[in-house]
Amino acid sequence: MIADLLYHQIQSPLGVLTLAGTDKALIYLRFAEYDTPFKVPNSWQRDAKRFEHEEAQLQSYFAGELDVFDIAIDLQGSHYNMKVWKELTHIPFGEVITYGELARRVGTPEGAQAVGNANGKNPIPIIVPCHRVIAAKNNIGGFTGGVDKKQFLLKLEKAKNVQFDLF
């Protein structure tokens, strides 16, 4: 976790979202866990004005009015994670691919589990759309924010070829 960032918390259909970054780029988007907001580090400074653009775009997305984000992001992670996260940004709104397909796209065809691990470490979900990656046989698969949140996002995007049965 990076110290000395700016942050803002917003209400969303998924609960409280915490946005954090520098004055130039978004570095984190965090979900509430079990309805408990993300615990903001003491070194972060609240700045609602800084995140007006991101908040407006997210609200438009949740209202079904936006399908491509125009937000400056600063992804930070291992070389492999960065490769996976960059590939996630190429999955169009409303479409899904499998973990196996994502592994193939990043050059590790046998690496479905590795891309799943990278997906789970995505620091900017929704905007870097890790929710658009599903398990084999069109099962929804897991999601760090909770399968219910992944299901909500895929239904919002009217994703096809996904089995939404959670049980």
Side-chain angles (χ1 to χ4, degrees):
M1 197 66 54
I2 300 171
D4 301 326
L5 293 178
L6 304 173
Y7 81 97
H8 178 49
Q9 292 180 313
I10 65 172
Q11 290 295 326
S12 81
L14 300 175
V16 176
L17 300 179
T18 302
L19 308 172
T22 64
D23 59 344
K24 293 181 176 39
L26 184 68
I27 296 176
Y28 297 113
L29 186 155
R30 294 284 196 246
F31 294 105
E33 291 185 31
Y34 309 106
D35 298 324
T36 301
F38 170 76
K39 178 147 177 40
V40 176
N42 291 335
S43 63
W44 290 9
Q45 186 174 25
R46 185 181 296 273
D47 188 344
K49 185 161 182 53
R50 154 61 190 93
F51 294 98
E52 287 176 344
H53 176 71
E54 290 87 344
E55 181 175 6
Q57 289 221 345
L58 284 162
Q59 297 303 348
S60 291
Y61 169 79
F62 288 124
E65 301 163 351
L66 180 82
D67 58 12
V68 176
F69 290 100
D70 178 23
I71 293 175
I73 61 173
D74 181 6
L75 290 169
Q76 300 178 17
S78 72
H79 174 73
Y80 185 75
N81 287 352
M82 296 288 287
K83 195 173 180 181
V84 170
W85 300 336
K86 183 173 186 208
E87 190 59 39
L88 293 173
T89 66
H90 298 296
I91 305 169
F93 180 91
E95 293 188 22
V96 294
I97 64 171
T98 64
Y99 292 100
E101 173 61 17
L102 180 58
R104 187 190 65 70
R105 289 184 183 186
V106 298
T108 55
E110 302 299 319
Q113 187 171 0
V115 296
N117 289 336
N119 238 20
K121 294 175 183 171
N122 174 11
I124 311 176
I126 303 172
I127 295 164
V128 176
C130 54
H131 60 278
R132 296 180 187 156
V133 182
I134 60 172
K137 299 182 182 173
N138 299 335
N139 291 326
I140 194 167
F143 191 61
T144 302
V147 175
D148 58 328
K149 289 178 175 72
K150 182 174 185 174
Q151 180 171 303
F152 174 88
L153 294 168
L154 291 173
K155 284 184 175 183
L156 175 74
E157 295 185 9
K158 298 176 177 59
K160 304 207 181 344
N161 302 321
V162 180
Q163 292 180 350
F164 289 110
D165 298 330
L166 298 177
F167 306 102

